[in-house]
Amino acid sequence: MTFVILQQCCNDASCTDVCPVDCIHPTPDEPEFMTSDMLHIEPDVCIDCGACVDECPVDAIRADHELDATQGRYLDLNADWFELHPSGARVYDEPRNWAGVDFSGRRVAVVGTGPAAFYAATELAGIRGIEVEMYDRLLTPYGLVRSGVAPDHPGTKAVTDLFRSVAGRKSVRLHLGVEIGSDLTHDDLIAHHDAVLYATGAADDRTLGIAGEELSGSHSAREFVAWYNGHPEYADRTYDLSSPRAVVVGNGNVALDVARILLAPITELEKTDIADHALEALRSSAVREVVVVGRRGPSHAAYTGPELLEIMASPWIDLHTPENDVTTDEATRTAIDAGSAEATTVMKVALAQEIAARPTSDPVDEAKKRLILRFGLSPAEILGDESVSAIRFVRATSTVHDDGTVTTEPTSEEETIDTGLVLRSVGYRGRAVESVPFDHTRGIIPNRDGRVIDDDGSTVPGVYVTGWIKRGPSGVIGTNRKCAADTVAAILEDIAAESIPRAPHGRVELDAMLAEKCPDALDFSDWSRIDEAERNAGAEHGRPRIKYVGVDDFRSAVVRDRTDRY
């Protein structure tokens, strides 16, 4: 028997720490970790001890005899990874030992409370003497785990149990409802903390840069996701769901999430923590077909294989792709034939071919709606007078270069798809923070190994970065653990080397400043009251929680709970 890692793997890598025979890979020490879709268990080495099952924060590991009919592929996916990455090829770095270094009274500001921020806080809180102050402009923590993870993926959200335990430590304090650049400045943080770590994620999105993008009915998938997840800043948005077809431009995991939510039966969504306003809008939705379009072929699709497997197993989605779209560039085909292609690439090509071979049928059954995957099409223009009526694409060809990069070139072949709703899902980008260097081209805070650098390439003392604002929007939730650990190591190294001075102001001055400038900020105990209130409201309706979306609702929940208790 062996254990198998399934779709909901978050790449947290907690399981690698407890495996007694080192059979779970890639580990954070291996170069493949930052680009891997998921982790894998080597079946010939696994001793069936089950330690990884207990450690996994999202319940993504099963024994092979417990797999159902839709999960059998994961056994092969786990095993295939080790064909290209044999055990003898691994090299590990020894972690730094901080014994003998006095970190007493050293205070670090962490800006953000998403996965990257909490993984950083976890690393910092594990060092005796370090004080951690976490700031977020919202009144709720957890970032994209709360406002980005699809509501029908509750297992993925279980990672917040880890974050909750970190937030409850005495050395960690949360300050919710505090915006850096408005309530507090960067200089305020520098004056009251020895180091400032920005983990602000990617709060903006990239555009297509084509005509018609501003038409009514053309939206960002990022904002649509925030809307149905109850993000307070997007709760008042409205979306016209009267068109029978929606088109999603881009084919990453977010695009598949959006398609899945648009096509899911309302009876399924009623079991989730989707925002009430979105639930009501989707209840009357006329969308029966979603077309997800990518510029490149299946081998370079942005989605992960496990994410597509989930949709293939869905009983209410009729999944198709045209055979003519399933083409593979010469370099990738050669690699597959030679057995040197990554298992994820082989899987993506095989799945696309399998989908293309499926018979087509009209989705007349109300319980089954259609999702069409299109490849090799580049958006050229969104059509319509005042609102979207169609989107025009041109056929694109992909070329894989010797350095591994892929470029696409348009051809003369065109195709127009009628639709009233276009959602672009072509990538997130970070947002600048006042007085902090920013790379507007890449949409990140420029850095070298997590240390922020200025326009001249010089290190900015005491300022650091982690997560998407550090490396761009790549990886899954757990990828941020390795990213955060690397940056925290840089902070500790700089403190140990005395290359960053102690803050001029201490905890007393910090508390006085917060009381003056941020009197309405909420702390972890306040959030715990909100969390409990949402869960209790959800329990009455058989749901995980019913989310509050308004600032007044959040604050009322805190006051109401305090009144009830006292």
Side-chain angles (χ1 to χ4, degrees):
M1 188 183 82
T2 181
F3 284 92
V4 182
I5 299 180
L6 303 176
Q7 180 270 334
Q8 61 263 42
C9 174
C10 71
N11 276 33
D12 173 275
S14 298
C15 54
T16 67
D17 295 335
V18 299
C19 179
V21 293
D22 189 31
C23 73
I24 306 177
H25 296 272
T27 69
D29 297 318
E30 296 170 324
E32 299 87 3
F33 180 81
M34 295 301 290
T35 57
S36 178
D37 288 350
M38 60 187 295
L39 304 184
H40 310 84
I41 296 177
E42 191 168 10
D44 295 335
V45 180
C46 177
I47 61 173
D48 313 332
C49 69
C52 57
V53 178
D54 295 333
E55 192 69 19
C56 178
V58 294
D59 193 28
I61 305 177
R62 295 283 186 278
D64 56 1
H65 68 273
E66 296 177 335
L67 301 180
D68 62 33
T70 67
Q71 297 170 330
R73 290 180 184 268
Y74 291 100
L75 187 59
D76 295 333
L77 184 61
N78 276 251
D80 290 347
W81 190 86
F82 294 95
E83 293 293 326
L84 284 178
H85 307 282
S87 303
R90 297 174 192 141
V91 178
Y92 301 95
D93 294 326
E94 288 295 326
R96 171 73 183 272
N97 188 340
W98 300 107
V101 180
D102 184 11
F103 293 101
S104 298
R106 288 291 195 165
R107 188 176 307 107
V108 179
V110 178
V111 182
T113 59
F118 264 108
Y119 281 125
T122 303
E123 295 287 330
L124 290 165
I127 304 297
R128 179 182 291 275
I130 294 281
E131 300 172 2
V132 182
E133 308 283 340
M134 303 184 73
Y135 300 88
D136 200 299
R137 61 191 177 89
L138 298 180
L139 293 175
T140 57
Y142 309 144
L144 285 181
V145 178
R146 178 178 171 93
S147 63
V149 172
D152 60 344
H153 281 177
T156 304
K157 300 183 182 186
V159 73
T160 57
D161 292 339
L162 168 65
F163 300 160
R164 187 180 299 112
S165 67
V166 174
R169 294 191 183 186
K170 290 183 178 180
S171 61
V172 178
R173 300 199 306 178
L174 260 64
H175 308 281
L176 302 172
V178 178
E179 184 167 7
I180 308 306
S182 175
D183 300 307
L184 297 179
T185 66
H186 173 70
D187 289 340
D188 287 333
L189 295 182
I190 289 293
H192 294 81
H193 304 81
D194 301 291
V196 179
L197 172 57
Y198 285 96
T200 50
D204 291 329
D205 55 87
R206 301 184 185 278
T207 61
L208 298 173
I210 61 176
E213 198 167 2
E214 75 289 346
L215 289 172
S216 174
S218 170
H219 307 278
S220 155
R222 176 188 64 82
E223 295 179 350
F224 186 70
V225 169
W227 169 75
Y228 66 61
N229 272 319
H231 191 297
E233 295 177 356
Y234 300 95
D236 60 350
R237 299 293 176 92
T238 57
Y239 294 89
D240 185 354
L241 304 178
S242 62
S243 172
R245 177 187 293 124
V247 175
V248 183
V249 181
N251 60 7
N253 285 351
V254 171
L256 296 190
D257 282 348
V258 166
R260 206 174 56 253
I261 296 302
L262 282 170
L263 298 175
I266 202 68
T267 52
E268 292 299 317
L269 294 178
E270 286 173 337
K271 303 172 186 176
T272 73
D273 67 354
I274 190 170
D276 279 354
H277 57 258
L279 185 63
E280 291 310 307
L282 290 166
R283 195 182 300 278
S284 58
S285 170
V287 176
R288 296 197 49 79
E289 178 179 283
V290 177
V291 184
V292 175
V293 186
R295 291 186 301 123
R296 300 171 180 171
S299 60
H300 295 99
Y303 56 71
T304 61
E307 194 78 11
L308 183 57
L309 276 174
E310 180 189 9
I311 289 180
M312 292 178 68
S314 172
W316 51 77
I317 293 180
D318 192 18
L319 181 62
H320 296 285
T321 190
E323 285 191 47
N324 292 340
D325 280 15
V326 185
T327 59
T328 308
D329 60 89
E330 184 177 351
T332 301
R333 173 51 56 190
T334 300
I336 291 176
D337 292 342
S340 60
E342 284 288 342
T344 53
T345 300
V346 176
M347 184 184 195
K348 287 179 180 180
V349 172
L351 292 181
Q353 292 172 338
E354 180 179 327
I355 295 167
R358 291 181 171 185
T360 58
S361 60
D362 291 329
V364 295
D365 185 352
E366 183 63 29
K368 206 156 191 172
K369 299 178 183 179
R370 176 174 289 177
L371 172 57
I372 301 177
L373 296 179
R374 299 299 309 273
F375 302 98
L377 295 176
S378 183
E381 181 183 12
I382 298 176
L383 306 174
D385 295 327
E386 295 182 355
S387 61
V388 173
S389 61
I391 179 170
R392 181 171 62 86
F393 293 92
V394 296
R395 176 65 61 181
T397 57
S398 298
T399 302
V400 182
H401 302 282
D402 293 339
D403 61 359
T405 60
V406 183
T407 58
T408 57
E409 294 293 334
T411 67
S412 58
E413 183 181 346
E414 296 187 356
E415 180 173 344
T416 298
I417 300 176
D418 293 334
T419 182
L421 177 64
V422 172
L423 297 169
R424 64 177 183 275
S425 183
V426 291
Y428 292 14
R429 56 180 286 114
R431 184 178 296 173
V433 179
E434 186 178 354
S435 301
V436 179
F438 191 73
D439 183 337
H440 290 276
T441 300
R442 299 179 61 194
I444 64 170
I445 293 176
N447 67 94
R448 188 180 299 113
D449 299 326
R451 297 178 176 91
V452 174
I453 57 177
D454 59 22
D455 294 340
D456 297 327
S458 300
T459 300
V460 181
V463 186
Y464 302 84
V465 66
T466 189
W468 282 5
I469 196 66
K470 169 186 175 182
R471 67 182 191 275
S474 63
V476 293
I477 289 173
T479 310
N480 293 294
R481 185 185 180 199
K482 157 70 171 170
C483 183
D486 289 344
T487 296
V488 169
I491 295 173
L492 299 178
E493 286 172 4
D494 292 348
I495 292 176
E498 299 184 350
S499 60
I500 52 176
R502 287 188 178 271
H505 300 299
R507 169 63 66 83
V508 173
E509 290 85 357
L510 171 61
D511 288 347
M513 179 186 70
L514 292 173
E516 177 186 355
K517 294 189 175 185
C518 313
D520 296 326
L522 303 184
D523 60 18
F524 178 65
S525 63
D526 293 325
W527 158 245
S528 297
R529 296 183 180 99
I530 296 170
D531 184 38
E532 183 179 2
E534 289 186 340
R535 290 175 183 272
N536 289 342
E540 295 177 6
H541 297 83
R543 300 173 61 186
R545 69 173 66 236
I546 292 179
K547 290 180 176 177
Y548 295 125
V549 298
V551 172
D552 291 341
D553 294 330
F554 289 124
R555 296 195 181 280
S556 294
V558 173
V559 173
R560 184 166 59 250
D561 184 80
R562 286 173 177 167
T563 302
D564 291 343
R565 289 172 187 260
Y566 303 108

